[in-house]
Structure formats: structure tokens, C-alpha cells
């Protein structure tokens, strides 16, 4: 369970046996409290100076966050009519009102109890059949089981919504002792908007329904097949709704929520104006499992665009700041997935590779208002492309298979007769542009590196190559290279991982001084003080100024500042900054997680049919000009 406080500066996270309180401004832990039983609900009081906690053992606790002290409050068990409940009964649902002055409690097969915490008295006992039964009602068994309940977040409303296993949804008014509304809607999860105007319901069929809280007038309905709704929550401004289903969360922005917010700013909550001027709307988005998946991802700095290749062969452009789609889709052969997108932002050149080994070359327009990619030509190489590398000015393209490399020169209407190089016994390999010498390429194979000329793929190093003198276990092989160049130093960041057929995703990182890779050198060793990072990083996402941005093996996206000083005074592991983490099931999912780095430090990512971006705060340090992404987005 996660709860954000009234001020937005405090976050509470709840596990089965503990509560932790966090400062969201500094992202540091303030307190950690142990629990005797499972937490059912939490509420903040007095501008986040106190928290109220309801436990499954019928206890009400409070913590003073300014001191970390704890106390226990009287509960409804002390005033219930004798025989109404057994003390050992565990509540099915407990929910606080906003401000924590009231709490609703329900037991299996029993009525709902509304308890006034401040005055230590029962306000009402609510039964599905008759509504209000009064605070002194005796035990009333045989009731339909409760699915969920929620109090209206408007403290003065006195409204409580309850859904039952027979499909009925009721709105109780425990201040007026009446049932305001009832309807059969089959709602399994309920939540109230922060302004108290809207009630959101979800069920196991993937259906989301929005109602006016006090009348149960239907406002909006979202139908989507696939996974059942597991949880619902509103944004703080009541204009968006977030659901959790399956392994993902979705953010919805129904227009009716915005109009409701505008109406409530000028009308009373109980006014009929909102109901009369809002008509129900049904939206059917189909089965979420049938959506086209994102199979390739690319970010172009100059345009601020995120380009997504999809499993149906189409390519879409999105604004990197807003996520809105730009222009029309580019359609390729039906149902031929886009495997990779390679781009050069400065030259405006994009290469897409599909599952038929077909290469499509596009040019990006340089004038304002154009929101598409212009296709120049297509080409199908005679080899199966394993890696594609563009020259810095996009005038050349290297296409590599397991046993052959082909170097193409771009012309206006196609590609010039290529230069090729055969490798009869090459294993896993990676090419990269030399960060220091623009007319050279670096090829890394196993524990050997070679330098080649850019023009004709002539090898400049001896046959034995440059030996990589790192401690690399035999089952690991080169998987990715990222290079960085600055006026003071240049480096190569490499990851070594197991074979693609291995189920293990363990990998190791090694950083090299780029000046060690010259035709005259016979060996290159990793920079010693970065060896401590070797076992922590899963993959390299990119570089930003002097920061290396990576995904760690525990799922966190992190950055570490690199120094050209070979004996810096700081511990690189201790200087790792954590930004955010990906859920574990994203990293172990059969569907690839695609990650790339924006030049302002934000991370753009995609999985299945959805993409997103997350701020890392690196951009705040003024690192915009020198951001580079890995040659390929990461695919586990």
C-alpha cells in the first residue's frame, strides 16, 4: 500500500509487517515502524504531522511523525451492543474518511459500522436491506458479503459507497440516516475522487465506470477486455484515473472529469447542475491483449521525437515531451515486425530493419511544421543483419552478419557498390565508431579488439589485435558498447553478457580509456577504480555529460559520474545515484523492455504496446549538450 500525505511532501509505504515514512522532496526515509498485524488503511492528519493506522486485529494506532512516538485509540468494539461482534473477528474492509475523523468497518456477513474517532462513538450501523439501523442496533447476520467500500473524500458529505457480492452498489448517507441511491452494477473496486464528486468502480471484466457520487448517475464507462481491474486511484486534481490490471497500470483522462472539475468550481457539490448537463459516454477500447506491440524505439534529439517501430510493420512518431502522436503512421508490409531503428539526429537519417531483413532508409525534414519521415529508398542486403552502424555524418552504413561485414556509401538515390569483409569463425561481436578518430572503427570480439579504417574496412591492428586484459569469465561475450568524448577525456563503456540462449541475464561492465585503442597498442585494461561497478550493472542506457546512465541488476535506473583521473578520491559505487526502478515483472517478462536515453537526462522506455518517459533530474545539472544513447536500445 502507498499513501501520499495532504501536503504532498510525505509518502507512506506499507508492507505486511512494517510502515515506512518518506520525505518525497529529498527522497529519504524518515521513520520505520513495526506492525503487529496487517495494515488495512492509513490516513494523514494535521498537515501530515500524524498518521492513523487501522490493523486487521481491530486496533487503531496513531504515530506522531514529528517525534516518531506511537499510541493506541479506542475502537468500536468498546461501545458495540453486547453480542454484536466477537473480539476475535477480523474485519473484511476498513476505510478512513479524509482527515481521519471517521472510519468505516465491515465484517464478513455483517453490517457496516461507522465509527467517530474523535468523539469515540458509533455514528451509525448500515445494512444493505434497510440502510440506517442506528448506532445501538444488535447483531444482524446473514447479510450479503461486501466487495468494497469507500467514504466520500468530502468530509462534510457523510456519504459512503458500498458494493456487494450480489452486484448491488449503495450510497449511504449516515448523517441523514438514508440510502441516497442504489443500483446493480457489479463493482469490485471503489474509489472516491479527492473533490468528492466522482465515484469510480472497476470489476473483473476490465470495465471501469464513473458515477456521480451522491446520485449514482452514470457519467462515463470504459470497456476493455483482458485483465481484471485490481485497484483504482484518482490523481490529486480529480481529472485523471489510474487503474492496475495484470502487470501494468494505465492512466485515463476522461473528458467528463475535466468538465466535472470545472462545474464544481462554480456550483455546490450537491447541486443537480452537474447531473443535468453531463451525458453518459461509453468508450470501448477492445481487448488490451490485441494491441500492436512496440518492437523498436529511437529518440531524435534535434526534433525531440520518439520514434516507435511496431510489430505490424508500422512506424509512429511521438512528441518526446507530451507523448502526443505526430502526423500519420508509416506503414510497411503487413505483420512484418520492425526489429530495429537506427538514427543520426544531426544528419536526419533513419534506418529501419524489419523481420524480412529489409532496410528502409528515411530522411527527416529540416523545416518547421513537417511531422513525418520521407522514405528515400529500400535495400535488402544479402546477409542477415545482426548490427547496423551509421557514420557520424550518416554518409556511410556498416551492416554486419555473423560472418560478414558490408560497408555502404549513401548516395542520393541509393547506395554505392559496397566494400565487404569476411569472418569465417567470428563469434559474438560489436562495432562502434572510434570516439577519438572519426575515420576509424573499433571491432570487439571476445577478448580482442581491432581498429579498422572507415573508408575500406582495412585492418590497422596486427592479426593478434588488442588484447582485453580484463577478468572476464569464459561464458560472457561482448554485448554492447557506449562511447563518450569530451575535451578532457574519452572512454568506452562495454558490457559483457551470456549468450542469447542463456536464461540468465547476468552481465559485467568494463570502462576503458579510448586512447588505449590505437593501431600501435597490443593490450588494453579496464580503468581500475571502476571495476567495482562490474557486477552491479545489467546494461548501459547511455551517457550524459560525464555521467554513465545504466540499468542495475536490481532493476534501478542509476547514474554515476565518471572522471578521467585514474585514481579519483571517491568510491564510484558509493557515488551511484538512483533515479527510479522498473518492476521486476517488466524485467523478466517474455516481451522485451526497450530503454533509451533522452539528451536532457530523461529515460524513454516501452514494453508491449505502451511507452513512457521518466525524469531523472540529471537534466537539472546542465548536461544537455553531450548526451549519447547506446548503439542499440536494451532488449533482455
Amino acid at each position: 500500500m502507498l499513501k501520499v500525505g495532504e501536503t504532498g511532501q510525505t509518502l507512506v509505504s506499507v508492507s505486511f509487517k512494517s510502515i515506512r515514512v518518506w520525505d518525497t522532496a529529498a527522497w529519504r526515509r524518515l521513520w520505520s515502524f513495526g506492525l503487529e498485524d496487517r495494515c488495512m488503511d492509513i490516513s494523514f492528519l494535521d498537515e501530515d504531522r500524524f498518521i492513523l493506522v487501522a490493523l486487521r486485529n481491530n486496533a487503531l494506532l496513531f504515530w506522531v511523525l514529528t517525534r516518531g512516538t506511537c499510541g493506541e485509540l479506542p475502537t468500536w468494539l468498546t461501545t458495540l451492543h453486547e453480542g454484536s461482534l466477537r473480539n476475535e473477528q477480523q474485519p473484511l474492509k476498513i476505510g478512513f474518511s479524509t482527515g481521519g475523523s471517521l472510519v468505516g468497518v465491515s465484517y464478513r456477513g455483517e453490517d457496516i459500522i461507522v465509527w467517530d474517532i474523535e468523539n469515540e462513538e458509533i455514528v451509525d450501523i448500515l445494512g444493505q436491506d434497510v440502510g440506517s439501523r442506528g448506532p445501538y442496533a444488535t447483531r444482524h447476520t446473514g447479510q450479503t458479503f461486501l466487495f468494497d467500500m469507500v467514504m466520500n473524500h468530502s468530509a462534510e458529505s457523510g456519504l459512503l459507497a458500498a458494493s456487494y457480492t450480489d452486484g448491488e452498489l449503495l450510497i449511504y448517507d449516515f448523517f441523514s440516516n438514508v440510502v441516497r441511491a442504489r443500483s446493480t452494477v457489479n463493482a469490485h473496486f471503489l474509489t472516491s475522487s479527492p473533490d468528492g464528486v466522482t465515484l469510480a468502480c472497476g470489476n473483473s471484466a476490465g470495465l471501469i465506470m464513473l458515477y456521480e457520487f451522491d446520485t449514482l448517475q452514470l457519467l462515463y464507462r470504459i470497456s476493455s477486455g483482458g485483465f481484471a481491474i485490481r485497484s483504482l486511484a484518482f490523481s490529486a486534481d480529480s481529472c485523471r484515473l489510474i487503474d492496475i490490471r495484470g502487470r501494468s497500470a494505465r492512466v485515463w483522462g476522461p473528458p467528463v472529469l475535466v468538465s466535472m472539475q470545472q462545474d464544481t468550481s462554480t456550483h455546490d457539490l450537491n447541486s443537480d447542475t452537474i447531473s443535468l448537463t453531463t451525458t453518459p459516454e461509453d468508450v470501448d477500447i477492445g481487448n488490451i491483449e490485441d494491441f500492436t506491440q512496440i518492437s523498436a524505439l529511437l529518440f531524435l534529439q534535434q526534433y525531440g521525437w520518439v520514434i516507435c517501430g511496431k510489430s505490424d510493420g508500422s512506424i509512429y512518431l511521438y512528441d518526446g515531451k507530451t507523448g502526443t502522436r505526430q502526423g500519420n503512421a508509416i506503414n510497411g508490409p503487413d505483420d512484418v515486425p520492425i526489429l530495429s531503428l537506427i538514427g543520426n539526429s544531426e544528419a536526419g537519417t533513419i534506418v529501419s530493419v524489419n523481420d524480412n531483413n529489409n532496410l528502409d532508409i528515411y530522411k527527416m525534414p529540416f523545416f518547421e511544421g513537417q511531422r513525418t519521415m520521407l522514405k528515400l529508398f529500400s535495400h535488402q542486403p544479402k546477409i542477415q543483419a545482426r548490427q547496423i552502424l551509421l557514420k557520424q555524418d550518416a554518409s556511410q552504413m556498416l551492416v554486419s552478419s555473423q560472418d560478414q561485414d558490408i560497408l555502404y556509401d549513401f548516395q542520393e538515390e541509393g547506395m554505392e557498390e559496397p566494400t565487404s569483409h569476411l569472418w569465417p569463425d567470428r563469434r559474438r561481436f560489436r562495432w562502434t565508431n572510434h570516439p577519438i578518430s572519426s575515420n576509424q572503427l573499433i571491432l570487439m570480439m571476445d577478448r580482442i579488439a581491432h581498429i579498422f579504417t572507415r573508408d575500406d574496412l582495412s585492418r590497422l591492428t596486427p592479426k593478434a589485435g588488442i588484447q582485453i586484459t580484463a577478468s572476464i569469465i569464459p561464458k560472457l561475450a561482448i554485448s554492447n558498447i557506449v562511447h563518450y568524448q569530451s575535451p578532457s577525456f574519452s572512454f568506452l563503456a562495454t558490457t559483457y553478457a551470456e549468450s542469447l540462449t542463456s536464461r540468465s541475464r547476468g552481465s559485467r561492465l568494463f570502462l576503458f580509456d579510448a586512447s588505449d585503442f590505437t593501431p600501435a597498442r597490443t593490450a588494453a585494461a579496464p580503468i581500475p577504480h571502476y571495476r567495482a561497478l562490474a557486477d552491479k550493472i545489467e546494461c548501459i542506457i547511455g551517457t550524459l555529460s560525464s555521467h554513465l546512465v545504466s540499468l542495475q541488476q536490481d532493476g534501478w535506473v542509476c547514474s554515476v559520474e565518471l572522471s578521467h583521473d585514474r585514481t579519483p578520491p571517491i568510491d564510484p559505487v558509493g557515488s551511484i545515484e538512483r533515479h527510479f526502478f522498473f518492476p521486476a515483472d517488466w524485467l523478466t517478462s517474455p516481451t522485451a523492455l526497450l530503454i533509451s536515453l533522452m539528451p536532457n537526462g530523461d529515460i524513454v522506455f516501452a514494453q508491449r504496446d505502451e511507452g513512457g518517459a521518466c525524469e531523472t533530474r540529471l537534466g537539472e545539472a546542465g548536461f544537455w549538450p553531450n548526451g549519447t544513447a547506446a548503439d542499440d536500445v536494451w532488449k533482455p
Side-chain angles (χ1 to χ4, degrees):
M1 180 189 300
L2 297 173
K3 282 289 182 75
V4 179
E6 300 171 356
T7 64
Q9 300 297 310
T10 307
L11 172 71
V12 170
S13 60
V14 182
S15 64
F16 285 107
K17 291 295 183 180
S18 67
I19 292 177
R20 293 180 177 179
V21 184
W22 306 84
D23 180 344
T24 59
W27 284 116
R28 63 185 180 89
R29 190 174 68 185
L30 301 176
W31 302 101
S32 181
F33 306 121
L35 297 176
E36 295 180 356
D37 209 329
R38 198 181 102 191
C39 175
M40 304 291 286
D41 198 16
I42 284 181
S43 181
F44 288 86
L45 297 174
D46 194 17
E47 296 184 342
D48 302 348
R49 294 184 178 90
F50 301 85
I51 57 172
L52 283 176
V53 178
L55 300 183
R56 189 173 55 176
N57 62 1
N58 294 293
L60 281 180
L61 306 177
F62 71 91
W63 272 276
V64 183
L65 297 186
T66 55
R67 300 194 301 267
T69 56
C70 176
E72 188 168 356
L73 298 171
T75 72
W76 49 94
L77 294 180
T78 60
T79 59
L80 274 174
H81 189 278
E82 186 177 352
S84 294
L85 281 176
R86 297 183 299 272
N87 287 338
E88 67 272 14
Q89 277 188 265
Q90 295 180 340
L92 185 66
K93 294 287 181 181
I94 299 181
F96 289 107
S97 65
T98 300
S101 59
L102 300 171
V103 60
V105 187
S106 173
Y107 296 84
R108 188 177 300 273
E110 305 276 359
D111 294 328
I112 299 172
I113 301 167
V114 180
W115 173 251
D116 186 330
I117 297 175
E118 184 176 356
N119 296 312
E120 299 180 9
E121 63 181 13
I122 294 176
V123 177
D124 204 350
I125 296 177
L126 309 173
Q128 182 187 5
D129 50 355
V130 298
S132 172
R133 301 187 60 240
Y136 305 107
T138 58
R139 189 177 186 186
H140 189 205
T141 59
Q143 301 300 297
T144 305
F145 287 0
L146 188 78
F147 254 138
D148 200 7
M149 70 175 179
V150 64
M151 285 197 176
N152 189 289
H153 284 179
S154 176
E156 299 81 16
S157 69
L159 301 181
L160 182 147
S163 62
Y164 295 87
T165 54
D166 62 0
E168 193 169 30
L169 174 65
L170 276 75
I171 303 297
Y172 297 104
D173 185 338
F174 48 80
F175 285 164
S176 302
N177 306 117
V178 297
V179 175
R180 282 280 193 95
R182 65 171 72 219
S183 179
T184 303
V185 298
N186 191 30
H188 298 165
F189 295 96
L190 307 176
T191 189
S192 169
S193 60
D195 58 13
V197 174
T198 311
L199 174 69
C201 311
N203 64 25
S204 59
L207 184 67
I208 296 175
M209 298 155 286
L210 302 181
Y211 293 92
E212 192 176 69
F213 202 113
D214 58 345
T215 66
L216 283 186
Q217 177 175 339
L218 180 64
L219 305 173
Y220 203 88
R221 180 163 44 207
I222 304 171
S223 303
S224 60
F227 295 106
I229 305 294
R230 293 168 51 195
S231 186
L232 292 169
F234 278 94
S235 59
D237 61 3
S238 302
C239 292
R240 287 180 173 82
L241 181 70
I242 302 96
D243 77 56
I244 296 178
R245 65 177 84 200
R247 295 180 172 182
S248 61
R250 286 171 172 78
V251 181
W252 305 93
V256 67
L257 293 181
V258 178
S259 61
M260 294 281 284
Q261 185 70 13
Q262 293 171 346
D263 287 343
T264 53
S265 65
T266 56
H267 296 89
D268 183 76
L269 174 63
N270 296 320
S271 170
D272 292 334
T273 305
I274 300 173
S275 299
L276 294 173
T277 58
T278 305
T279 57
E281 183 176 353
D282 281 284
V283 177
D284 190 347
I285 64 170
N287 193 321
I288 60 175
E289 294 300 294
D290 294 337
F291 281 7
T292 304
Q293 295 187 357
I294 299 173
S295 53
L297 189 67
L298 177 67
F299 180 79
L300 287 186
Q301 173 180 346
Q302 182 166 335
Y303 302 90
W305 293 354
V306 175
I307 304 176
C308 295
K310 301 199 174 184
S311 58
D312 64 354
S314 61
I315 299 176
Y316 288 83
L317 280 67
Y318 298 89
D319 188 298
K321 293 183 178 179
T322 66
T324 56
R325 202 173 84 184
Q326 305 293 303
N328 298 321
I330 298 171
N331 296 313
D334 291 341
D335 298 324
V336 180
I338 303 295
L339 298 183
S340 185
L341 291 168
I342 303 95
N344 182 292
S345 184
E346 294 182 4
T349 301
I350 307 294
V351 180
S352 73
V353 186
N354 67 17
D355 202 29
N356 286 342
N357 201 40
N358 194 69
L359 278 59
D360 292 322
I361 290 80
Y362 298 90
K363 196 73 172 178
M364 305 298 296
F366 283 94
F367 49 89
E368 290 293 331
Q370 186 73 30
R371 294 293 184 268
T372 188
M373 302 194 311
L374 306 178
K375 186 174 180 178
L376 300 181
F377 56 88
S378 296
H379 177 75
Q380 189 166 39
K382 297 179 181 179
I383 60 175
Q384 185 67 38
R386 291 281 300 275
Q387 184 188 3
I388 295 177
L389 182 68
L390 288 175
K391 189 178 179 180
Q392 290 89 334
D393 61 2
S395 62
Q396 286 183 330
M397 178 176 66
L398 179 67
V399 180
S400 299
S401 68
Q402 186 64 44
D403 55 9
Q404 189 175 2
D405 303 312
I406 302 178
L407 184 65
Y408 295 92
D409 289 323
F410 283 127
Q411 303 297 322
E412 291 185 1
E413 298 180 354
M415 292 187 288
E416 196 177 71
E417 188 69 23
T419 300
S420 64
H421 194 291
L422 293 174
W423 295 91
D425 55 356
R426 181 166 63 179
R427 293 182 60 233
R428 288 177 64 183
F429 65 93
R430 295 299 293 177
W431 285 94
T432 189
N433 295 308
H434 202 299
I436 299 176
S437 303
S438 59
N439 63 340
Q440 293 180 355
L441 297 170
I442 299 176
L443 171 65
M444 299 192 76
M445 306 180 296
D446 297 328
R447 281 75 177 157
I448 299 173
H450 283 286
I451 310 297
F452 287 81
T453 61
R454 163 71 70 179
D455 296 333
D456 58 4
L457 288 183
S458 296
R459 192 181 70 218
L460 301 178
T461 47
K463 186 176 181 180
I466 302 172
Q467 300 294 316
I468 304 300
T469 59
S471 178
I472 306 172
I473 58 178
K475 65 179 180 179
L476 299 183
I478 186 69
S479 64
N480 204 2
I481 305 175
V482 173
H483 59 78
Y484 171 76
Q485 181 181 8
S486 74
S488 57
F489 71 102
S490 299
F491 68 82
L492 293 175
T494 64
T495 48
Y496 284 76
E498 296 187 25
S499 66
L500 297 178
T501 58
S502 172
R503 294 187 179 182
S504 173
R505 291 175 27 252
S507 61
R508 301 198 75 190
L509 167 77
F510 297 98
L511 280 88
F512 298 89
D513 190 327
S515 62
D516 289 344
F517 292 84
T518 65
R521 294 295 295 264
T522 59
I527 301 174
H529 55 262
Y530 290 116
R531 289 177 181 171
L533 299 175
D535 296 326
K536 295 184 175 294
I537 292 179
E538 179 66 33
C539 76
I540 304 168
I541 299 175
T543 62
L544 199 65
S545 185
S546 58
H547 287 71
L548 180 71
V549 184
S550 63
L551 176 70
Q552 290 199 315
Q553 293 184 0
D554 59 4
W556 278 86
V557 171
C558 302
S559 64
V560 61
E561 187 171 5
L562 304 177
S563 170
H564 68 285
D565 186 354
R566 288 180 176 266
T567 57
I570 61 172
D571 173 18
V573 175
S575 63
I576 291 177
E577 182 177 357
R578 292 188 169 196
H579 301 289
F580 67 97
F581 64 90
F582 286 105
D585 54 0
W586 279 35
L587 302 177
T588 58
S589 170
T591 306
L593 172 64
L594 311 178
I595 315 174
S596 189
L597 176 68
M598 293 185 181
N600 66 344
D602 295 344
I603 303 295
V604 59
F605 53 89
Q607 190 188 53
R608 301 175 69 248
D609 60 297
E610 298 174 311
C614 188
E615 293 183 359
T616 64
R617 297 184 181 178
L618 279 174
E620 297 176 3
F623 299 141
W624 177 278
N626 298 317
T628 60
D631 292 338
D632 288 332
V633 292
W634 184 64
K635 301 180 182 182

